[in-house]
Amino acid sequence: MKASLTHLERKKALWGCVFVAPAIILILLVAVYPLVQTVKLSFYEYSLLAVQDQKFIGLKNYDTLVHDTRFWNSLLNTCLFSLASVFCELVLGLILALIMNLPFRYIGVVRAAALVPWAIPSVVSATMWLWLYNDQWGFINIFLEKIGVISQFHAWLSNTDSALGAVIISDVWKTTPFMALLILAGLQMIPKDMYESASVDGASRFRQFMAVTLPMIKPTILVAVLFRTLDSFRVFDLIYVMTMGGPGNATEVTSLYAYKTLFKNLDFGYGSTIAVSILIVIALISSVYIWTLSEKEGRT
């Protein structure tokens, strides 16, 4: 009987591998292979403008990267974009999630309406904000002038002092609902009797929020922040449509710099090096978050 069960288990495992194999092969083709090729190209001098001059140069591309001021400026822009957008999305997303968690009539309509910005494709959203920021007939200029905040129309996306902030606002508007949705899932997992017990003990609503709600949704917040940080760090489409990295390089992020190097300058060697640098930074960020989550689970 034991031998037959073992044979049955082996048969199930074999068929499991057969069914999973196509997915694994697809992942290897569309993810792993391009990644390996990108890492490989980063050690080569490889430009489509001079294919015949392709040669292995070791770490020369990485040495160039370290001394590339444009790369460091793009990395700084990426960090500023990620920190500002994720922080604002966390605060606003938490507020929005608390509102969507309230038990009142038509809450389903409120939740559906709140998710509309996130459902809009990034390119469409970027184009919409491009029109809103227009320095001739954009609604934002018209509105701010009407309420007396500005005396004349401002070129928000053409000014180095305001371009990055304007793009961040656009990203916050679009992605805050995603953050709110993840936090809402965490809020709905909190047992109601915990609030009842806190209420019996005389805790105010604010005290309940600080002592019950926040500690219970910390893991959810960490996961939400991880997802948004990784996503914002490789932002491309929003900035590509709105500013193309301008004015100058004021809004140029690392992924956009890699794109320009790869597909405009046709320098696949150095462009791959920039792409690998993005991968390394994202891996480091992921490691920090995973370690934080592991430490929290270990303490509990």
Side-chain angles (χ1 to χ4, degrees):
M1 181 68 176
K2 187 175 181 180
S4 63
L5 285 174
T6 304
H7 175 70
L8 182 61
E9 290 173 356
R10 289 177 179 174
K11 190 174 182 180
K12 285 183 178 180
L14 177 61
W15 278 107
C17 292
V18 170
F19 288 125
V20 171
I24 294 176
I25 293 171
L26 185 62
I27 291 173
L28 290 174
L29 289 174
V30 302
V32 178
Y33 176 72
L35 177 61
V36 172
Q37 282 295 103
T38 301
V39 174
K40 177 186 174 183
L41 285 174
S42 69
F43 296 105
Y44 281 79
E45 182 181 299
Y46 186 7
S47 173
L48 291 187
L49 298 176
V51 180
Q52 69 279 4
D53 296 331
Q54 176 184 346
K55 61 181 178 179
F56 179 79
I57 57 173
L59 297 174
K60 187 177 178 180
N61 281 329
Y62 290 94
D63 180 64
T64 303
L65 188 75
V66 171
H67 298 92
D68 186 354
T69 55
R70 184 176 174 182
F71 165 75
W72 291 109
N73 179 71
S74 70
L75 185 60
L76 176 62
N77 287 338
T78 305
C79 292
L80 290 175
F81 178 88
S82 297
L83 289 173
S85 60
V86 172
F87 175 78
C88 294
E89 288 160 13
L90 175 60
V91 175
L92 297 175
L94 179 59
I95 295 172
L96 183 59
L98 290 171
I99 294 173
M100 292 193 296
N101 196 45
L102 295 174
F104 60 87
R105 196 176 182 184
Y106 304 119
I107 187 61
V109 177
V110 174
R111 291 174 180 173
L115 294 177
V116 168
W118 182 49
I120 297 175
S122 297
V123 174
V124 176
S125 175
T127 304
M128 181 188 71
W129 279 96
L130 189 62
W131 291 342
L132 290 173
Y133 282 127
N134 187 276
D135 59 348
Q136 299 295 323
W137 38 261
F139 173 78
I140 291 176
N141 274 317
I142 295 174
F143 176 74
L144 292 179
E145 187 185 43
K146 289 290 185 183
I147 63 175
V149 175
I150 58 176
S151 57
Q152 59 183 5
F153 283 15
H154 182 73
W156 299 98
L157 298 176
S158 300
N159 190 302
T160 55
D161 296 327
S162 60
L164 186 60
V167 173
I168 289 171
I169 291 173
S170 306
D171 184 69
V172 169
W173 176 84
K174 173 172 172 50
T175 323
T176 293
F178 173 74
M179 186 77 78
L181 187 64
L182 293 179
I183 297 175
L184 176 63
L187 288 172
Q188 295 188 333
M189 295 296 292
I190 302 176
K192 300 298 181 184
D193 55 2
M194 295 186 68
Y195 291 109
E196 294 173 359
S197 299
S199 181
V200 170
D201 292 338
S204 63
R205 287 293 181 89
F206 179 76
R207 183 60 184 168
Q208 291 178 31
F209 174 76
M210 297 300 295
V212 178
T213 305
L214 274 184
M216 292 296 292
I217 64 173
K218 273 184 180 180
T220 304
I221 289 176
L222 283 173
V223 172
V225 170
L226 170 61
F227 285 163
R228 275 303 302 137
T229 302
L230 298 182
D231 191 42
S232 64
F233 206 88
R234 54 187 178 82
V235 62
F236 173 81
D237 45 8
L238 184 72
I239 294 179
Y240 181 85
V241 173
M242 293 185 69
T243 65
M244 277 294 293
N249 294 322
T251 61
E252 185 178 70
V253 290
T254 313
S255 57
L256 185 58
Y257 182 31
Y259 165 80
K260 290 178 179 178
T261 305
L262 280 163
F263 299 108
K264 287 198 170 183
N265 300 339
L266 300 179
D267 189 347
F268 277 46
Y270 190 57
S272 297
T273 306
I274 300 172
V276 171
S277 72
I278 300 173
L279 174 64
I280 292 172
V281 174
I282 289 176
L284 290 174
I285 294 173
S286 302
S287 300
V288 171
Y289 277 108
I290 291 171
W291 178 80
T292 304
L293 286 170
S294 300
E295 284 290 308
K296 182 173 179 61
E297 290 178 359
R299 288 194 297 267
T300 55

